[in-house]
Amino acid sequence: MPSLKGSRLPRESLNGSWVRAALVEHEAALIRYARSVVGDADRARDVVQDTFLRLCRQQPDVVRPHLRAWLYTVCRRRALDVLRKERRMHTTTDSVTWNLPTALDDAPAQQAEAGETRQRLLAELETLPGKQREVVRLKFQAGLSYRDIADAMDLKVGYVGYLLHTALKTLRERMA
């Protein structure tokens, strides 16, 4: 076993406590996001596992100030790499969980209608251009800020706002 004496990594990165904390806090959301991109739960878990392996190699003091954006950036890039490697796209209308409001005490008819609306919305989301679809996922599924989305997608913040505005306007029109 190589000696860690003289290592340039801070002590907390050697024991991985900060990575474990990030895993507990972000893993489930990253898997949902990756699944929405790659269309498959197993591949999504692989993408997220790779994301956290890459996090293990990072300096905590460099990554921690923007950890969430860093995780989504790496996860997104890895998921897109997987898609490019396979050279096929999957629809994710049945694999994305969105937090549309439905109360537990709603009548069955209301719950059914909400489910139909959710499915229709997901189907419409898949018809949006790629960048618009991605911005909507990162904003509403992952809960990222415009700045974090811009960093993850390597775009300007203003363009993220434009893409999100255009996507939501299109979805509203189609759902009306």
Side-chain angles (χ1 to χ4, degrees):
M1 176 188 235
S3 170
L4 298 176
K5 198 173 194 177
S7 172
R8 304 183 99 195
L9 294 174
R11 176 170 293 291
E12 69 176 329
S13 70
L14 297 176
N15 68 26
S17 64
W18 77 285
V19 174
R20 279 191 292 280
L23 183 70
V24 167
E25 184 176 349
H26 300 287
E27 180 184 33
L30 283 168
I31 289 172
R32 281 190 305 273
Y33 170 68
R35 186 174 178 182
S36 74
V37 175
V38 298
D40 176 75
D42 289 332
R43 289 185 302 161
R45 284 189 286 275
D46 290 343
V47 165
V48 172
Q49 180 180 8
D50 189 46
T51 300
F52 280 102
L53 286 173
R54 291 174 190 213
L55 179 64
C56 290
R57 294 184 222 125
Q58 300 300 310
Q59 294 283 340
D61 54 337
V62 173
V63 176
R64 189 173 288 142
H66 57 276
L67 176 64
R68 191 172 184 201
W70 187 93
L71 287 169
Y72 277 94
T73 299
V74 172
C75 184
R76 176 181 180 270
R77 288 179 181 161
R78 183 66 190 115
L80 294 175
D81 287 347
V82 166
L83 288 178
R84 275 192 288 275
K85 183 178 177 185
E86 295 175 358
R87 295 196 194 285
R88 58 188 168 129
M89 296 295 290
H90 294 279
T91 60
T92 59
T93 57
D94 60 346
S95 65
V96 180
T97 302
W98 291 82
N99 295 322
L100 295 178
T102 57
L104 293 176
D105 58 349
D106 282 347
Q110 290 171 319
Q111 288 180 357
E113 184 178 332
E116 289 171 13
T117 301
R118 181 179 297 111
Q119 290 303 313
R120 187 167 158 232
L121 177 61
L122 292 173
E124 291 296 339
L125 177 66
E126 290 304 315
T127 67
L128 292 176
K131 285 185 181 178
Q132 289 180 20
R133 185 173 52 243
E134 192 73 14
V135 167
V136 170
R137 285 179 180 154
L138 289 170
K139 179 65 179 161
F140 295 105
Q141 185 181 14
L144 295 183
S145 69
Y146 283 31
R147 165 61 34 215
D148 290 345
I149 295 169
D151 291 345
M153 294 182 68
D154 197 26
L155 301 171
K156 294 186 183 290
V157 175
Y159 189 51
V160 168
Y162 168 77
L163 288 171
L164 188 59
H165 170 78
T166 304
L168 293 177
K169 181 179 175 188
T170 301
L171 289 173
R172 262 189 241 107
E173 289 170 356
R174 292 178 182 174
M175 295 297 290

